[in-house]
Amino acid sequence: MATYTYIDEEEEIEQQEWDGRSHRKAAFIAGAVAGMAMTIVMLGLLLLGVTPRSLSNLVADKIAATAGPGITEFFIQTIGTLGKQLLFLMVLLGQVVVGGLLGLLLVRITGRTGTRQTVWRNSFIISTGAWMLFVVAGLPLLDQSFLGVGLGTDQIATLIISFMLFQLFGIVLGYAYFHMVPATYPEPATNSGMNLAQIESRRERLEGEARSSRRRFVRTVSAVFVLMVGAAIGTKAFGSVPLTEYRASLGDLKPDGTLEGEITPTGSFYQVSKNAFNPTVDGNTWKLSIDGLVNNPLTFEKNTLYQMPRQKVYHTLTCISNPVGGEYIGNAEWSGIPLKTLLDQAGVKPGVKKVVFTSADGYKDSITIEKALEQDTTLAVEMNGAPLTNDHGFPARMLIPNIYGMKNAKWLTGITLVDTEFEGFWQKQGWDNEAAIRTESSIVSPADGATIRAGQPTVLKGIAYAGSRKVEKVEVSLDNGQTWQETKLKERLGANSWTLWRFEWTPPAGSKGYVLKVRATEAGGKVQESRPADPFPSGSAGYHTISLQVL
């Protein structure tokens, strides 16, 4: 029986070669696993607030902008904020697929006889090349300019963190390639050592261990990916506080004679942004700059800003995408610094047209200089007696009278004065740049389709809002708009807060059903618009209508 030169296991492993071209599926899986690992770390950094924006955020923003207002508004009205989580999820899965394609690229440039050293070298060539392509071409395509200049203060951090993430991808790609693509072994030399049967037995054992290791590796990375992405997106999509209970109690009489819900609890206050995951801002390092056409550019740290004299305002916020009778509206007690105070310190130069707000998540929007200098335009730092929560804009956000919520920027990092017109994130998608509040009213209780009892008192409750314009009358119709009856109003808490109304009514015996409408009249006798209008592009309009059944 022939004998062969003995090669120990360590030496044999060093002499292994990988023929990826015969195992393209395995190479794709290796790249996908590397993409999962990169995505896991990227998502972790995002959730921990290490970076306010990630590659996935930038891609999701670009897709939303490219899709156009029609598609965006369709998802907002059909599935609400869940659409953002689904888009973000698709981007994350896309990263995994791109990772798989880079695994195939590794096969192509490595060839049929890739040694361990060759595979490692080519993995890093791919990861570094992909990062350079992202910086040079990707960032401009994502509207962030060459080398990410458009990222502003986040530029350096984004470049460094993205480089580290791409290098992590390269490391995992090489490691996964060795695990996923079966290795070939060197042919043993004759004359001495182990016999062929012993060598083959040892190789079968090594290959079996390798297969088992591959399965464990893929299962582990995949499980962590699914759990982390699922938990993060699931929490955002389904972990919000439902508004049904709060809205049902809105307008109830309290023992002290006031009405329930005049102040929306912070946990029940609606929250809308362009993000699937809102930025987490470190208050210890946060700074707010005021620059542009000013005589004295200013920079404020959190403690300095928070120690400035404040004003308390009751202010209602409502989203421009809120449908008639929708839940994207709330009223809170806020505390903050008049923006005029800060601009007076900076010294406004002649010719300024717009004041541009920049947020930690890259969001930008603007208002006119006239609006910015109104006394009630406030840089808010507290909500309902406590510091702003993360979702509501910590450390500082804007409150602007008579303007829909999209211009009330959160997570502020910069205020820039310019002498030109300016279109922000949503305006580039077709939304109204003025975004003036339309007078609105709604019935919050009973709910549409509810059943009430004939001969028993029923209380209709609701809200009306006209920005800083006072609501002087709210009327309800019990016959689908044929006749109208005036309701009882509660005086609003502040010049920019909503008005609560109540109407007590006893349906007569024998009635079967009613179609109810509500309308508000602002000071000066102007009745809210009756003609229905979709939220896009200037906010919804029309009378809120519900149907009630009678027993």
Side-chain angles (χ1 to χ4, degrees):
M1 178 181 295
T3 58
Y4 299 82
T5 301
Y6 178 77
I7 302 175
D8 63 28
E9 291 186 14
E10 183 176 344
E11 184 178 357
E12 187 170 24
I13 290 173
E14 285 298 321
Q15 296 183 29
Q16 289 175 340
E17 294 179 345
W18 284 264
D19 179 11
R21 294 191 178 186
S22 301
H23 301 86
R24 295 181 185 275
K25 180 180 178 181
F28 180 87
I29 295 175
V33 167
M36 289 183 196
M38 175 182 173
T39 300
I40 290 170
V41 175
M42 182 206 71
L43 189 57
L45 294 174
L46 184 65
L47 294 176
L48 291 173
V50 176
T51 176
R53 283 181 280 179
S54 67
L55 170 62
S56 300
N57 290 119
L58 298 175
V59 173
D61 287 349
K62 182 62 176 179
I63 292 174
T66 304
I71 295 176
T72 303
E73 181 61 14
F74 170 77
F75 280 106
I76 290 175
Q77 297 304 326
T78 53
I79 58 177
T81 57
L82 178 60
K84 292 179 296 185
Q85 278 76 41
L86 292 178
L87 173 59
F88 194 75
L89 174 61
M90 295 305 295
V91 172
L92 296 183
L93 295 178
Q95 289 182 188
V96 175
V97 173
V98 171
L101 296 177
L102 292 178
L104 294 179
L105 178 60
L106 177 60
V107 167
R108 184 171 183 82
I109 65 176
T110 300
R112 293 187 179 278
T113 56
T115 63
R116 185 176 292 269
Q117 182 179 5
T118 303
V119 171
W120 277 123
R121 181 195 66 201
N122 291 341
S123 294
F124 284 107
I125 289 175
I126 288 174
S127 61
T128 303
W131 177 77
M132 293 178 65
L133 184 64
F134 164 69
V135 170
V136 174
L139 286 174
L141 288 174
L142 297 173
D143 302 326
Q144 301 304 324
S145 303
F146 182 69
L147 298 181
V149 173
L151 293 167
T153 56
D154 295 332
Q155 179 188 13
I156 301 301
T158 300
L159 293 178
I160 293 174
I161 291 173
S162 63
F163 179 78
M164 295 172 63
L165 288 173
F166 275 95
Q167 294 311 303
L168 171 66
F169 173 84
I171 293 172
V172 179
L173 175 60
Y175 185 76
Y177 193 87
F178 296 137
H179 273 70
M180 300 306 303
V181 178
T184 59
Y185 294 85
E187 290 296 328
T190 58
N191 300 328
S192 64
M194 299 177 66
N195 62 44
L196 183 59
Q198 291 173 317
I199 292 174
E200 291 299 325
S201 175
R202 186 180 65 185
R203 287 184 177 176
E204 288 179 3
R205 175 174 59 82
L206 291 174
E207 290 172 354
E209 291 174 352
R211 285 193 297 270
S212 178
S213 177
R214 286 195 292 271
R215 288 193 292 267
R216 287 196 303 271
F217 178 69
V218 173
R219 288 172 181 170
T220 300
V221 176
S222 300
V224 173
F225 176 80
V226 170
L227 287 174
M228 186 166 185
V229 173
I233 291 182
T235 299
K236 282 290 182 180
F238 305 108
S240 58
V241 178
L243 302 181
T244 305
E245 182 177 347
Y246 159 70
R247 287 178 65 84
S249 65
L250 198 153
D252 285 348
L253 280 172
K254 295 194 291 187
D256 61 0
T258 60
L259 298 184
E260 189 74 45
E262 289 181 274
I263 298 296
T264 306
T266 301
S268 298
F269 207 102
Y270 85 96
Q271 190 281 128
V272 173
S273 75
K274 70 178 182 64
N275 310 303
F277 296 94
N278 289 329
T280 301
V281 179
D282 183 357
N284 295 322
T285 59
W286 173 83
K287 290 181 174 61
L288 173 67
S289 63
I290 301 179
D291 53 27
L293 297 178
V294 296
N295 296 317
N296 305 300
L298 301 173
T299 299
F300 295 93
E301 295 182 346
K302 173 177 169 289
N303 290 339
T304 303
L305 188 71
Y306 277 38
Q307 290 171 7
M308 295 183 68
R310 304 183 197 172
Q311 64 183 9
K312 182 175 75 173
V313 295
Y314 294 100
H315 192 106
T316 295
L317 287 171
T318 184
C319 184
I320 196 169
S321 65
N322 197 32
V324 173
E327 297 184 344
Y328 293 158
I329 185 171
N331 185 62
E333 177 189 305
W334 310 83
S335 175
I337 302 95
L339 181 58
K340 184 179 185 301
T341 300
L342 302 178
L343 295 182
D344 286 345
Q345 287 187 22
V348 179
K349 289 184 176 181
V352 173
K353 289 184 177 180
K354 286 292 188 75
V355 177
V356 179
F357 304 116
T358 300
S359 302
D361 59 349
Y363 182 81
K364 291 178 181 289
D365 214 321
S366 68
I367 58 174
T368 64
I369 184 62
E370 293 78 14
K371 177 62 69 175
L373 293 175
E374 289 183 9
Q375 183 61 35
D376 283 343
T377 298
T378 304
L379 184 73
V381 297
E382 284 191 356
M383 177 181 184
N384 292 335
L388 293 170
T389 62
N390 186 65
D391 279 342
H392 291 294
F394 176 84
R397 66 162 304 157
M398 289 307 307
L399 295 176
I400 307 164
N402 290 321
I403 298 291
Y404 280 112
M406 68 176 178
K407 286 185 173 290
N408 294 249
K410 298 183 280 188
W411 313 291
L412 274 180
T413 58
I415 300 173
T416 304
L417 279 62
V418 299
D419 58 1
T420 61
E421 290 298 320
F422 182 87
E423 287 190 341
F425 179 84
W426 292 113
Q427 287 76 46
K428 291 178 180 178
Q429 299 182 43
W431 291 89
D432 190 348
N433 202 8
E434 184 178 355
I437 294 288
R438 284 175 153 174
T439 301
E440 62 176 283
S441 58
S442 62
I443 302 168
V444 298
S445 180
D448 186 24
T451 299
I452 58 177
R453 292 189 175 276
Q456 294 187 7
T458 296
V459 177
L460 308 180
K461 301 175 296 181
I463 57 178
Y465 181 55
S468 61
R469 306 180 302 277
K470 184 177 182 180
V471 173
E472 66 178 20
K473 182 169 62 175
V474 175
E475 300 168 289
V476 294
S477 171
L478 308 176
D479 52 14
N480 197 24
Q482 298 299 310
T483 60
W484 296 89
Q485 301 183 56
E486 194 165 339
T487 67
K488 180 180 180 180
L489 303 184
K490 167 69 171 62
E491 186 68 28
R492 59 181 178 171
L493 293 175
N496 297 291
S497 61
W498 62 18
T499 297
L500 302 187
W501 60 265
R502 288 169 59 90
F503 181 80
E504 297 183 4
W505 162 59
T506 301
S511 55
K512 295 183 178 180
Y514 290 86
V515 176
L516 277 60
K517 293 180 180 291
V518 62
R519 68 184 184 188
T521 301
E522 62 185 73
K526 183 179 179 181
V527 181
Q528 76 175 84
E529 301 170 65
S530 60
R531 185 176 181 179
D534 292 332
F536 181 80
S538 302
S540 62
Y543 295 164
H544 187 216
T545 304
I546 67 170
S547 297
L548 297 178
Q549 303 300 317
V550 181
L551 291 179

